[in-house]
Amino acid sequence: MNFSDLASNPHRRFNPLTREWVLVSPQRIQRPWQGQVEEVPPEATLAYDPTCYLCPGNTRAGGVRNPAYTETFVFDNDFAALKPDTPQAEFHERELLVARSEAGRCRVVCFSPRHDLTMARMNVPELRHVVDAWTQEFSALASDPHTNSVQIFENRGAIMGCSNPHPHGQIWADETLPNELSRELTAFRDYRQAHGTTLLQDYLDLELEKQERLVCANDHFVVLVPFWAVWPFETLLISRRPVSALDELHNDERTALADILRQTTIRYDNLFLTSFPYTMGFHQRPTDGADYPEFHLHAHFYPPLLRSATIKKFIVGYEMLAMPQRDLTAESAARWLRDVPAERYC
Ligand code: H2U
Ligand code: ZN
């Protein structure tokens, strides 16, 4: 089968990071839609909202008052999913009922004191503060001997379960590697053993050569729709230099990361002229103190919108019972994202 056959015929694509397959059915993109249409939530318009638990000077749901912060602000999640003082315990019954205690820490990162901003509406110096806060948190959490992985992420938009429009993200630090990181680590390790390079370095070189799935880039980062994307406008943000985590980025690379986050989120917003919802997050080396030369820093953006601001993809049916599936090809999605204006206009 040559590549042009892929654009019109059902096929499977392999994800070398997770070693799972995705079913692609490009012939199905024209099917009619009479299903659920989402409500577009109103945008936050107030720079300061007296009822917001993340705005500077306000009292949070747990009773603590936020300081009058002026850049970024990070605090321990008042409703943390993981606790540092969790007692060690194991439970086994005939290999069928198995459980293990999990210690950790959860942090909340307010990106800006401004209630009405999003990453796309923040400028590069403001986003650079966010990158610096993420990096500091990564280093501080990594230095705890009980922390073996740090997951930085953002849920953006009510549709993605984001609880508040104030720009913020979360960080969960775990004792045990979570499933996604563990699978990627195995793939990276095997690839480095076989080829001596990082998997994402070689993948990035291939994509830069092909040009078909690129969305945007700067001197230090590239954003593309991965060949194996599941979500309609899923993207992968890859550092050009194969660093294993944020703490290895140089000063100009950190600024470039701020810039590429802005470029990416502006393109998303311009696609359907709406504040684009997504879950995004970084994958970084485990933080057990060992070296991970095979690990290559990257971020995934998983946005749910399918064909407009009001129609989203659901993972149901075949996708829950069998495997992920998509209609729009990764190449078409990348073209859409490349063709929207790079400057903010919504
Ligand atoms: P999400 O919008 O992605 O849910 O993140 C908000 C987090 O903020 C959420 O995990 C925490 C919630 O537990 N939170 C506080 O820590 N204090 C509060 O006063 C409200 C929300
Ligand atoms: Zn607010």
Side-chain angles (χ1 to χ4, degrees):
M1 179 153 71
N2 67 33
F3 193 73
S4 60
D5 293 327
L6 292 189
S8 49
N9 292 312
H11 59 276
R12 288 172 153 218
R13 294 190 185 194
F14 181 65
N15 180 340
L17 292 175
T18 59
R19 297 178 170 173
E20 287 189 336
W21 293 82
V22 50
L23 180 64
V24 184
S25 316
Q27 77 290 353
R28 205 162 163 262
I29 191 72
Q30 300 307 340
R31 84 197 148 101
W33 180 266
Q34 292 184 323
Q36 177 161 337
V37 172
E38 302 292 329
E39 290 234 346
V40 180
E43 289 291 311
T45 49
L46 296 172
Y48 166 76
D49 178 347
T51 67
C52 167
Y53 55 73
L54 298 179
C55 274
N58 291 1
T59 303
R60 298 205 299 272
V64 180
R65 182 184 286 274
N66 296 324
Y69 65 98
T70 54
E71 285 163 352
T72 54
F73 168 55
V74 188
F75 61 92
D76 272 326
N77 196 314
D78 299 310
F79 308 95
L82 295 160
K83 303 270 191 189
D85 49 5
T86 306
Q88 288 271 344
E90 285 227 16
F91 181 80
H92 277 267
E93 204 167 315
R94 292 178 47 207
E95 294 176 19
L96 293 172
L97 307 178
V98 181
R100 206 172 285 160
S101 58
E102 182 71 17
R105 248 181 113 179
C106 294
R107 308 273 285 159
V108 178
V109 185
C110 296
F111 294 167
S112 163
R114 283 270 304 268
H115 183 80
D116 57 339
L117 298 186
T118 60
M119 281 214 252
R121 288 158 196 253
M122 290 169 73
N123 61 32
V124 172
E126 287 166 339
L127 283 167
R128 169 67 200 252
H129 286 304
V130 179
V131 171
D132 289 345
W134 283 335
T135 310
Q136 274 161 26
E137 285 297 312
F138 176 83
S139 299
L141 291 164
S143 68
D144 177 343
H146 300 297
T147 294
N148 293 316
S149 81
V150 176
Q151 182 59 60
I152 296 173
F153 64 99
E154 180 194 8
N155 290 323
R156 165 92 211 118
I159 210 175
M160 289 310 283
C162 177
S163 56
N164 182 330
H166 194 112
H168 69 281
Q170 298 192 46
I171 304 178
W172 293 23
D174 269 271
E175 193 179 2
T176 320
L177 298 199
N179 301 347
E180 292 292 306
L181 189 63
S182 167
R183 288 195 300 182
E184 283 193 352
L185 186 61
T186 306
F188 284 154
R189 190 171 282 165
D190 290 353
Y191 193 91
R192 180 155 167 115
Q193 261 166 19
H195 304 275
T197 47
T198 76
L199 187 160
L200 284 183
Q201 184 71 70
D202 287 357
Y203 177 59
L204 181 58
D205 287 347
L206 189 60
E207 290 292 14
L208 289 171
E209 195 182 296
K210 301 238 176 242
Q211 303 268 317
E212 280 166 328
R213 283 168 293 274
L214 301 181
V215 174
C216 55
N218 61 24
D219 286 350
H220 299 291
F221 292 90
V222 177
V223 172
L224 50 87
V225 179
F227 185 71
W228 52 84
V230 168
W231 294 93
F233 295 96
E234 176 176 334
T235 54
L236 184 62
L237 184 166
I238 310 174
S239 63
R240 290 193 192 253
R241 199 163 64 87
V243 295
S244 67
L246 292 170
D247 62 346
E248 288 173 49
L249 294 178
H250 300 146
N251 183 44
D252 49 350
E253 288 170 321
R254 287 196 199 186
T255 304
L257 178 55
D259 169 70
I260 205 75
L261 288 167
R262 182 175 151 80
Q263 285 196 44
T264 308
T265 51
I266 286 177
R267 281 179 188 277
Y268 274 146
D269 283 5
N270 284 346
L271 187 63
F272 296 138
L273 295 177
T274 189
S275 186
F276 211 72
Y278 55 74
T279 277
M280 72 79 67
F282 291 90
H283 281 151
Q284 309 188 72
R285 68 165 190 275
T287 55
D288 55 1
D291 275 342
Y292 288 92
E294 71 274 39
F295 207 93
H296 192 141
L297 171 70
H298 59 283
H300 299 274
F301 278 84
Y302 298 132
L305 294 185
L306 184 54
R307 49 178 90 190
S308 71
T310 52
I311 296 180
K312 79 166 187 186
K313 176 183 175 78
F314 288 94
I315 301 270
V316 291
Y318 184 84
E319 294 195 84
M320 281 186 89
L321 291 157
M323 66 192 289
Q325 187 272 341
R326 64 183 288 131
D327 298 345
L328 181 71
T329 62
E331 297 70 45
S332 302
R335 204 175 322 112
W336 281 43
L337 284 169
R338 255 198 324 268
D339 287 350
V340 295
E343 281 310 307
R344 191 164 83 76
Y345 74 80
C346 84

